[in-house]
Amino acid sequence: MPTLAVTNFNIVLTVLGGWISLFGLVSYLLKENFYLSEALISLLAGVVVSPPAANLIRPLEYTDGSEADVDVVTLYFSRLVLGVQLVLAGVQLPSRYLRKEWRPLSILLGPIMVAMWLATSLLVWGLVPNISFLHSLAVGACVTPTDPVLSNVIVKGRFADHNVPRELQQIIIAESGANDGLGYPFLFFALYLIQYLGDPAEQGGARAAMGMWFGETWGYTILLSVVYGAVVGWIAKELLHWAEERKFVDRESFLVFAISLALFIVGTCGMIGSDDVLACFIAGNVFTWDDWFRLETLDDSLQPTVDMLLNVSIFMWYGVVCPWSSFAHNDIIPIYRLIALGILVLLFRRLPSVFAVHKFIPQIEEVRQAIFVGFFGPVGVSAIFYLYIAVDFLARLDVDGHPREDVKNLAETIKIVVWFLAVCSIVVHGLSIPLGKLGFYLPRTLSRGPSSADRESAAPFRLGSRVATLVTHRLPFRRSAEPSPGPASSPGPSSASGRDIYRIGGSVIPMRTEDTGENGKPVFHPPPREGLGGLADDESPTRPPEAAGRTIRFPDELPSRPQTSGPIHHD
């Protein structure tokens, strides 16, 4: 007789699949109309199914009650998400972006990161009782990098397309991708000093600590990862070019290549003990150094789909494993001090330093943009990643199986403070845009003087009317390839009111003009598209030209221009 099998595996699949399906039903409404991030919504869903609430997801039962094993799962899950996200972030950037924009990036990754580290550390030192400044440096280092996952709320979607200049989006993507891997020097500067200057300290003192920091952290971890990521990204690009020229690669494998590259780099860097996070970002940028892969996959939805699945899953897991009860009940820091620390870190961790140097960053053209970039420096997946890197390092300092006296509370302090700051950032940055629109119509404070048509398209809209308009105008076009009577040219499909029609995701659907080829069959020429990167200041927002000699074509794809023959020229 059949029996119920209410196992943990079945429950996890039910909850995760059910939540992603339910969220998908209203995802466009929440993300594009109300500007709510999937990270915040998934975090709240994780709280609902966590052990203190519905108790549907029980992480301790998956690891035989071992809290340390749950921490290891969280660390590896965070590594995986960061690796995939950073390869995709590198692929999104235009050709040779790191070389072209090295000056503003060096400011963001140098003085601003140092200022963020010191500002956070000083706040932790002042508000956490009985903590030394050296220990506060370790806590501050965990939340120094900005998070590439949470940054998506201001660089993707309808809000970003209409209100954040393309150059500003790109510099935010590049900074959040590069500074994730550069969190290692800040963290291990403090950890090595704790190891060699604590009580009881290991032999060598500050000299040995700095030797380890320069040799192992900068030499082996950072420089090796940069070289390794660049070499792997270049070899992968050349191999994909070679396979595509000979028609060896099919559509599915071509589109998933960047994601499989991320998995390979995370695995190999993990085996050699280098910085897999930084290597993934460098590899992604070198992989599309000639812009070929980026342009080939510009309209593909696979990468955004994988991105969404990882975001929803990781933040739901964070909602489950976050030590919620420790915020109010701990022997480290009272809850009122923790709340004050969260507020002050959000205000002073990044905003003053960005505001002070924004005139040296060409992408930040005015004060309001400086305030915007300074405030939106979220703390998220990267902070949790470095949190468990620090906890693992401190566990190796045990003496005879017991924590060293000077660091016995440091791991718990880092857990409580970093988790609380991450939750504060997810909630505050996830609600800032919708609350800002309710309060003072935030998009007008960020744009660089959009045209009247842009302002109209940026206005809030109802999903039902857009879908109805879309169906009404696209069906006649699909029924016949004959040119419809009417004006000779039209800027794009529009409703009776003259407003643009939007596809799912918020971008405008362009009108396709038609022509007749030599054989009498219709030839389709897509007009320029909006919102794509790599433009000069005096260019209109049109689609970048396709890579020279594009040859890859798939059966379900209408050619945008006649097929060309000849060799492919690429870097």
Side-chain angles (χ1 to χ4, degrees), residues 282-300:
I282 297 297
N285 194 258
V286 173
F287 181 62
T288 187
W289 197 251
D290 57 1
D291 238 7
W292 173 69
F293 185 81
R294 184 179 73 89
L295 293 178
E296 290 285 354
T297 59
L298 201 58
D299 296 322
D300 169 54

PDB file of all heavy atoms in Angstrom, residues 282-300:
ATOM      1  N   ILE A 282      37.662  38.211 -14.327  1.00  0.00           N
ATOM      2  CA  ILE A 282      38.670  38.471 -15.349  1.00  0.00           C
ATOM      3  C   ILE A 282      38.440  37.569 -16.558  1.00  0.00           C
ATOM      4  O   ILE A 282      38.515  38.018 -17.720  1.00  0.00           O
ATOM      5  CB  ILE A 282      40.082  38.259 -14.778  1.00  0.00           C
ATOM      6  CG1 ILE A 282      40.355  39.254 -13.640  1.00  0.00           C
ATOM      7  CG2 ILE A 282      41.130  38.395 -15.866  1.00  0.00           C
ATOM      8  CD1 ILE A 282      40.346  40.698 -14.055  1.00  0.00           C
ATOM      9  N   ALA A 283      38.140  36.306 -16.328  1.00  0.00           N
ATOM     10  CA  ALA A 283      37.904  35.377 -17.436  1.00  0.00           C
ATOM     11  C   ALA A 283      36.695  35.794 -18.255  1.00  0.00           C
ATOM     12  O   ALA A 283      36.713  35.718 -19.496  1.00  0.00           O
ATOM     13  CB  ALA A 283      37.714  33.955 -16.895  1.00  0.00           C
ATOM     14  N   GLY A 284      35.624  36.238 -17.596  1.00  0.00           N
ATOM     15  CA  GLY A 284      34.440  36.674 -18.329  1.00  0.00           C
ATOM     16  C   GLY A 284      34.724  37.861 -19.219  1.00  0.00           C
ATOM     17  O   GLY A 284      34.242  37.937 -20.353  1.00  0.00           O
ATOM     18  N   ASN A 285      35.522  38.817 -18.726  1.00  0.00           N
ATOM     19  CA  ASN A 285      35.838  39.997 -19.532  1.00  0.00           C
ATOM     20  C   ASN A 285      36.780  39.673 -20.681  1.00  0.00           C
ATOM     21  O   ASN A 285      36.605  40.171 -21.795  1.00  0.00           O
ATOM     22  CB  ASN A 285      36.444  41.084 -18.636  1.00  0.00           C
ATOM     23  CG  ASN A 285      36.478  42.431 -19.308  1.00  0.00           C
ATOM     24  OD1 ASN A 285      37.510  42.869 -19.775  1.00  0.00           O
ATOM     25  ND2 ASN A 285      35.328  43.092 -19.372  1.00  0.00           N
ATOM     26  N   VAL A 286      37.783  38.827 -20.441  1.00  0.00           N
ATOM     27  CA  VAL A 286      38.692  38.434 -21.520  1.00  0.00           C
ATOM     28  C   VAL A 286      37.969  37.552 -22.531  1.00  0.00           C
ATOM     29  O   VAL A 286      38.235  37.626 -23.739  1.00  0.00           O
ATOM     30  CB  VAL A 286      39.920  37.711 -20.929  1.00  0.00           C
ATOM     31  CG1 VAL A 286      40.802  37.134 -22.035  1.00  0.00           C
ATOM     32  CG2 VAL A 286      40.726  38.660 -20.057  1.00  0.00           C
ATOM     33  N   PHE A 287      37.037  36.751 -22.072  1.00  0.00           N
ATOM     34  CA  PHE A 287      36.286  35.866 -22.965  1.00  0.00           C
ATOM     35  C   PHE A 287      35.533  36.664 -24.030  1.00  0.00           C
ATOM     36  O   PHE A 287      35.390  36.214 -25.168  1.00  0.00           O
ATOM     37  CB  PHE A 287      35.321  35.027 -22.126  1.00  0.00           C
ATOM     38  CG  PHE A 287      34.494  34.063 -22.922  1.00  0.00           C
ATOM     39  CD1 PHE A 287      35.092  33.053 -23.658  1.00  0.00           C
ATOM     40  CD2 PHE A 287      33.116  34.159 -22.923  1.00  0.00           C
ATOM     41  CE1 PHE A 287      34.323  32.152 -24.391  1.00  0.00           C
ATOM     42  CE2 PHE A 287      32.343  33.267 -23.638  1.00  0.00           C
ATOM     43  CZ  PHE A 287      32.949  32.267 -24.382  1.00  0.00           C
ATOM     44  N   THR A 288      35.061  37.836 -23.682  1.00  0.00           N
ATOM     45  CA  THR A 288      34.361  38.675 -24.651  1.00  0.00           C
ATOM     46  C   THR A 288      35.163  39.931 -24.970  1.00  0.00           C
ATOM     47  O   THR A 288      34.603  40.998 -25.234  1.00  0.00           O
ATOM     48  CB  THR A 288      32.960  39.056 -24.119  1.00  0.00           C
ATOM     49  OG1 THR A 288      32.230  39.745 -25.131  1.00  0.00           O
ATOM     50  CG2 THR A 288      33.053  39.902 -22.888  1.00  0.00           C
ATOM     51  N   TRP A 289      36.493  39.810 -24.949  1.00  0.00           N
ATOM     52  CA  TRP A 289      37.383  40.943 -25.202  1.00  0.00           C
ATOM     53  C   TRP A 289      37.135  41.571 -26.570  1.00  0.00           C
ATOM     54  O   TRP A 289      37.250  42.775 -26.763  1.00  0.00           O
ATOM     55  CB  TRP A 289      38.823  40.467 -25.094  1.00  0.00           C
ATOM     56  CG  TRP A 289      39.841  41.553 -24.937  1.00  0.00           C
ATOM     57  CD1 TRP A 289      40.744  41.974 -25.855  1.00  0.00           C
ATOM     58  CD2 TRP A 289      40.085  42.334 -23.760  1.00  0.00           C
ATOM     59  NE1 TRP A 289      41.538  42.976 -25.342  1.00  0.00           N
ATOM     60  CE2 TRP A 289      41.148  43.218 -24.045  1.00  0.00           C
ATOM     61  CE3 TRP A 289      39.506  42.381 -22.492  1.00  0.00           C
ATOM     62  CZ2 TRP A 289      41.644  44.132 -23.120  1.00  0.00           C
ATOM     63  CZ3 TRP A 289      40.001  43.292 -21.573  1.00  0.00           C
ATOM     64  CH2 TRP A 289      41.045  44.144 -21.881  1.00  0.00           C
ATOM     65  N   ASP A 290      36.806  40.738 -27.565  1.00  0.00           N
ATOM     66  CA  ASP A 290      36.533  41.244 -28.913  1.00  0.00           C
ATOM     67  C   ASP A 290      35.050  41.532 -29.136  1.00  0.00           C
ATOM     68  O   ASP A 290      34.641  41.851 -30.252  1.00  0.00           O
ATOM     69  CB  ASP A 290      37.023  40.254 -29.972  1.00  0.00           C
ATOM     70  CG  ASP A 290      36.399  38.873 -29.803  1.00  0.00           C
ATOM     71  OD1 ASP A 290      35.568  38.697 -28.882  1.00  0.00           O
ATOM     72  OD2 ASP A 290      36.740  37.966 -30.588  1.00  0.00           O
ATOM     73  N   ASP A 291      34.237  41.418 -28.109  1.00  0.00           N
ATOM     74  CA  ASP A 291      32.792  41.710 -28.156  1.00  0.00           C
ATOM     75  C   ASP A 291      31.998  40.694 -28.957  1.00  0.00           C
ATOM     76  O   ASP A 291      30.792  40.858 -29.115  1.00  0.00           O
ATOM     77  CB  ASP A 291      32.530  43.112 -28.717  1.00  0.00           C
ATOM     78  CG  ASP A 291      31.765  43.983 -27.743  1.00  0.00           C
ATOM     79  OD1 ASP A 291      31.569  43.541 -26.590  1.00  0.00           O
ATOM     80  OD2 ASP A 291      31.352  45.097 -28.103  1.00  0.00           O
ATOM     81  N   TRP A 292      32.637  39.651 -29.458  1.00  0.00           N
ATOM     82  CA  TRP A 292      31.928  38.721 -30.327  1.00  0.00           C
ATOM     83  C   TRP A 292      30.857  37.942 -29.566  1.00  0.00           C
ATOM     84  O   TRP A 292      29.693  37.930 -29.963  1.00  0.00           O
ATOM     85  CB  TRP A 292      32.945  37.759 -30.956  1.00  0.00           C
ATOM     86  CG  TRP A 292      32.354  36.642 -31.750  1.00  0.00           C
ATOM     87  CD1 TRP A 292      31.702  36.733 -32.947  1.00  0.00           C
ATOM     88  CD2 TRP A 292      32.355  35.251 -31.416  1.00  0.00           C
ATOM     89  NE1 TRP A 292      31.304  35.493 -33.382  1.00  0.00           N
ATOM     90  CE2 TRP A 292      31.690  34.565 -32.458  1.00  0.00           C
ATOM     91  CE3 TRP A 292      32.864  34.523 -30.348  1.00  0.00           C
ATOM     92  CZ2 TRP A 292      31.531  33.183 -32.446  1.00  0.00           C
ATOM     93  CZ3 TRP A 292      32.692  33.147 -30.344  1.00  0.00           C
ATOM     94  CH2 TRP A 292      32.034  32.490 -31.385  1.00  0.00           C
ATOM     95  N   PHE A 293      31.241  37.314 -28.461  1.00  0.00           N
ATOM     96  CA  PHE A 293      30.273  36.497 -27.726  1.00  0.00           C
ATOM     97  C   PHE A 293      29.155  37.364 -27.146  1.00  0.00           C
ATOM     98  O   PHE A 293      27.997  36.967 -27.141  1.00  0.00           O
ATOM     99  CB  PHE A 293      30.984  35.719 -26.618  1.00  0.00           C
ATOM    100  CG  PHE A 293      30.088  34.768 -25.878  1.00  0.00           C
ATOM    101  CD1 PHE A 293      29.798  33.521 -26.396  1.00  0.00           C
ATOM    102  CD2 PHE A 293      29.507  35.126 -24.660  1.00  0.00           C
ATOM    103  CE1 PHE A 293      28.959  32.634 -25.719  1.00  0.00           C
ATOM    104  CE2 PHE A 293      28.683  34.254 -23.984  1.00  0.00           C
ATOM    105  CZ  PHE A 293      28.409  33.008 -24.510  1.00  0.00           C
ATOM    106  N   ARG A 294      29.483  38.549 -26.664  1.00  0.00           N
ATOM    107  CA  ARG A 294      28.451  39.420 -26.091  1.00  0.00           C
ATOM    108  C   ARG A 294      27.395  39.794 -27.130  1.00  0.00           C
ATOM    109  O   ARG A 294      26.194  39.768 -26.845  1.00  0.00           O
ATOM    110  CB  ARG A 294      29.100  40.682 -25.522  1.00  0.00           C
ATOM    111  CG  ARG A 294      28.116  41.613 -24.805  1.00  0.00           C
ATOM    112  CD  ARG A 294      28.813  42.833 -24.254  1.00  0.00           C
ATOM    113  NE  ARG A 294      29.192  43.763 -25.298  1.00  0.00           N
ATOM    114  CZ  ARG A 294      28.400  44.742 -25.735  1.00  0.00           C
ATOM    115  NH1 ARG A 294      27.186  44.891 -25.234  1.00  0.00           N
ATOM    116  NH2 ARG A 294      28.816  45.561 -26.677  1.00  0.00           N
ATOM    117  N   LEU A 295      27.833  40.140 -28.334  1.00  0.00           N
ATOM    118  CA  LEU A 295      26.877  40.518 -29.372  1.00  0.00           C
ATOM    119  C   LEU A 295      26.093  39.317 -29.878  1.00  0.00           C
ATOM    120  O   LEU A 295      24.906  39.447 -30.219  1.00  0.00           O
ATOM    121  CB  LEU A 295      27.620  41.186 -30.533  1.00  0.00           C
ATOM    122  CG  LEU A 295      28.263  42.544 -30.209  1.00  0.00           C
ATOM    123  CD1 LEU A 295      29.009  43.078 -31.420  1.00  0.00           C
ATOM    124  CD2 LEU A 295      27.222  43.539 -29.730  1.00  0.00           C
ATOM    125  N   GLU A 296      26.722  38.161 -29.927  1.00  0.00           N
ATOM    126  CA  GLU A 296      26.011  36.965 -30.379  1.00  0.00           C
ATOM    127  C   GLU A 296      24.897  36.569 -29.400  1.00  0.00           C
ATOM    128  O   GLU A 296      23.892  35.993 -29.815  1.00  0.00           O
ATOM    129  CB  GLU A 296      26.997  35.800 -30.543  1.00  0.00           C
ATOM    130  CG  GLU A 296      27.962  35.939 -31.697  1.00  0.00           C
ATOM    131  CD  GLU A 296      27.311  35.692 -33.045  1.00  0.00           C
ATOM    132  OE1 GLU A 296      26.133  35.309 -33.067  1.00  0.00           O
ATOM    133  OE2 GLU A 296      27.970  35.909 -34.067  1.00  0.00           O
ATOM    134  N   THR A 297      25.096  36.835 -28.122  1.00  0.00           N
ATOM    135  CA  THR A 297      24.109  36.428 -27.108  1.00  0.00           C
ATOM    136  C   THR A 297      23.343  37.618 -26.550  1.00  0.00           C
ATOM    137  O   THR A 297      22.753  37.516 -25.483  1.00  0.00           O
ATOM    138  CB  THR A 297      24.824  35.695 -25.963  1.00  0.00           C
ATOM    139  OG1 THR A 297      25.808  36.558 -25.374  1.00  0.00           O
ATOM    140  CG2 THR A 297      25.483  34.427 -26.453  1.00  0.00           C
ATOM    141  N   LEU A 298      23.322  38.729 -27.284  1.00  0.00           N
ATOM    142  CA  LEU A 298      22.724  39.953 -26.770  1.00  0.00           C
ATOM    143  C   LEU A 298      21.240  39.784 -26.482  1.00  0.00           C
ATOM    144  O   LEU A 298      20.727  40.291 -25.488  1.00  0.00           O
ATOM    145  CB  LEU A 298      22.946  41.077 -27.782  1.00  0.00           C
ATOM    146  CG  LEU A 298      22.847  42.505 -27.277  1.00  0.00           C
ATOM    147  CD1 LEU A 298      23.848  42.746 -26.155  1.00  0.00           C
ATOM    148  CD2 LEU A 298      23.087  43.481 -28.417  1.00  0.00           C
ATOM    149  N   ASP A 299      20.534  39.068 -27.345  1.00  0.00           N
ATOM    150  CA  ASP A 299      19.092  38.890 -27.178  1.00  0.00           C
ATOM    151  C   ASP A 299      18.737  37.536 -26.578  1.00  0.00           C
ATOM    152  O   ASP A 299      17.561  37.161 -26.557  1.00  0.00           O
ATOM    153  CB  ASP A 299      18.386  39.038 -28.531  1.00  0.00           C
ATOM    154  CG  ASP A 299      18.548  40.439 -29.086  1.00  0.00           C
ATOM    155  OD1 ASP A 299      18.510  41.386 -28.289  1.00  0.00           O
ATOM    156  OD2 ASP A 299      18.718  40.573 -30.315  1.00  0.00           O
ATOM    157  N   ASP A 300      19.726  36.816 -26.105  1.00  0.00           N
ATOM    158  CA  ASP A 300      19.466  35.491 -25.532  1.00  0.00           C
ATOM    159  C   ASP A 300      18.947  35.625 -24.109  1.00  0.00           C
ATOM    160  O   ASP A 300      19.359  36.510 -23.357  1.00  0.00           O
ATOM    161  CB  ASP A 300      20.758  34.679 -25.548  1.00  0.00           C
ATOM    162  CG  ASP A 300      20.632  33.408 -24.746  1.00  0.00           C
ATOM    163  OD1 ASP A 300      19.695  32.641 -25.022  1.00  0.00           O
ATOM    164  OD2 ASP A 300      21.441  33.206 -23.828  1.00  0.00           O
TER     165      ASP A 300
END
